[in-house]
Amino acid sequence: MTESTVAVATRASIAKPATKPARPHFSSGPCAKPPGWDASKLAVEVLGRSHRSKLGKARLQYAIDLMRELLKLPDTHRIGIVPGSDTGAFEMAMWTMLGAREVTALAWESFGEGWVTDAVKQLKIEPTVVRADYGQLPDLSQVDWSNDVLFTWNGTTSGVRVPNGDWIPADREGLSFADATSAVFAYDLPWDKIDVATFSWQKVLGGEGGHGVLILGPRAVERLTEYTPAWPLPKVFRLVSKGALTEGVFKGETINTPSMLAVEDAIFALEWAKSVGGAAGLIARSDANAAALDKIVAERDWLGHLAVDEASRSKTSVCLTVEGADEALIKAMASALEKEGAAFDVAGYRDAPPGLRIWCGATVDTADIEALGPWLDWAYATAKASN
């Protein structure tokens, strides 16, 4: 983008770009459907059947098997489909396993702060809290791994992620609890460093919401079977019966009634993921999208990354700063883009500093990210002119 164009874009209205993103879905959750998705392509034989029927359980098990295959998850780790999206899955892990030892909670965005609130106000424990501002990553060297540790692998509302698992020791005493909802299928996760991981289909896979996925390593299973928390457990959180893990949860026997339509939608996404190269293919697509957005930012002096450190910058939920932006300006930009059908749901999270948030996960096509740049110029100029 030339200097003169930048100057014009920051001072007055410019012409609308001629080309729009073919799929202008840039929401950070629920996210864009996989390319080629159509409701008519979903298998519907299981609809109207019991999820406990032979067919129902087979489809749930198939979804679990596909996730294991694509993630290359070791046999030591169990996968369960649970209620309540990622939030339900992570709170299930907290309620059933915390309290056995001291807890450290990392918070650098709103969902990490939510886990702190759960621990303090609901479970009545006093965790050590390691915080950082939006756009920053806490000093991971402060983490005491004799404690159980709660953290968000990819901060969807701040655009900050942990770079890798090197900071998690192999000989840790406590359990690692990773809220990985915008990270699973977007990064090569070190499963030997993760005792508990949670995510939802509605993020990188572009699936429908309402269901969470709980992944347990062997140390988490040991905790579940050897420790009984002091607080009562709702039925939907119970993973142990008579001192033994309820293995059926990890074989398609869900705790409550799932939406089999949502399950079929997830299966579509997982089969699509397999067709583009599995987890490696999904990671490559996210990387390409993030690189395309980086180029857009680099070419515009009024755009920046909230996460300044590239090593800890998200490649899925990318949060952008906008020069001179307040809440009203961002709302005007997002509304203008939505009205034109050029970009949906790009305003930053409500608790984050005013800015834009662009989903760059695997279900987005790189060409649509590239087409977004000129529309951001137009929306910024239009919003500034009317401000």
Side-chain angles (χ1 to χ4, degrees), residues 21 28 73 75 98 103 140 161 201 220 228 248 305 338 363 375 382 384:
S28 288
L73 202 68
D75 292 339
L98 291 187
V103 175
L140 300 179
R161 65 182 174 98
W201 297 324
T228 300
H305 283 285
E338 182 170 347
T363 55
W375 280 98
T382 300
K384 292 283 283 186

Side-chain angles (χ1 to χ4, degrees), residues 1 17 28 30 59 67 91 186 206 218 230 243 293 322 325 331 356 371 387:
M1 186 172 181
S28 288
R59 296 303 282 174
M67 287 187 281
E91 290 187 333
L293 187 57
V322 176
K331 183 177 180 180
L356 302 174
N387 193 11

Side-chain angles (χ1 to χ4, degrees), residues 221-282:
V221 172
E222 182 181 20
R223 172 72 63 81
L224 281 168
T225 55
E226 295 184 356
Y227 165 71
T228 300
W231 41 78
L233 294 178
K235 179 181 178 180
V236 293
F237 283 4
R238 295 172 198 163
L239 294 170
V240 173
S241 177
K242 298 179 180 179
L245 188 70
T246 307
E247 292 286 0
V249 173
F250 308 96
K251 298 177 181 178
E253 297 174 11
T254 55
I255 293 174
N256 70 331
T257 304
S259 164
M260 294 308 297
L261 185 59
V263 171
E264 291 299 337
D265 183 76
I267 288 173
F268 179 95
L270 290 162
E271 290 179 336
W272 166 79
K274 189 173 180 178
S275 75
V276 297
L282 298 182

Side-chain angles (χ1 to χ4, degrees), residues 194-226:
I194 299 173
D195 298 306
V196 178
T198 64
F199 72 98
S200 69
W201 297 324
Q202 71 189 44
K203 296 293 186 178
V204 180
L205 292 174
E208 292 303 296
H211 298 73
V213 177
L214 176 67
I215 300 178
L216 301 179
R219 300 177 73 247
V221 172
E222 182 181 20
R223 172 72 63 81
L224 281 168
T225 55
E226 295 184 356

Side-chain angles (χ1 to χ4, degrees), residues 26-165:
F26 300 109
S27 165
S28 288
C31 301
K33 307 301 290 183
W37 181 92
D38 188 279
S40 66
K41 296 181 181 180
L42 302 184
V44 296
E45 292 81 4
V46 73
L47 302 187
R49 296 289 307 278
S50 169
H51 62 294
R52 302 194 189 283
S53 67
K54 184 177 180 180
L55 175 60
K57 287 195 289 187
R59 296 303 282 174
L60 287 159
Q61 182 66 63
Y62 180 50
I64 290 171
D65 291 344
L66 281 172
M67 287 187 281
R68 182 178 300 280
E69 177 186 355
L70 294 173
L71 293 172
K72 297 181 179 178
L73 202 68
D75 292 339
T76 54
H77 286 60
R78 290 166 169 85
I79 305 174
I81 298 169
V82 300
S85 195
D86 175 67
T87 301
F90 202 80
E91 290 187 333
M92 176 184 288
M94 291 180 66
W95 259 250
T96 55
M97 285 179 263
L98 291 187
R101 58 175 58 236
E102 297 295 313
V103 175
T104 295
L106 308 184
W108 61 86
E109 47 92 53
S110 60
F111 289 102
E113 284 290 349
W115 310 140
V116 172
T117 299
D118 276 356
V120 174
K121 293 188 176 182
Q122 303 302 321
L123 298 181
K124 308 298 183 182
I125 60 179
E126 293 294 335
T128 299
V129 181
V130 182
R131 287 188 170 91
D133 292 334
Y134 276 84
Q136 304 291 319
L137 189 67
D139 181 0
L140 300 179
S141 68
Q142 293 185 37
V143 177
D144 179 357
W145 281 100
S146 66
N147 293 358
D148 290 335
V149 179
L150 314 177
F151 69 98
T152 307
W153 196 283
N154 185 99
T156 311
T157 66
S158 69
V160 175
R161 65 182 174 98
V162 294
N164 49 53

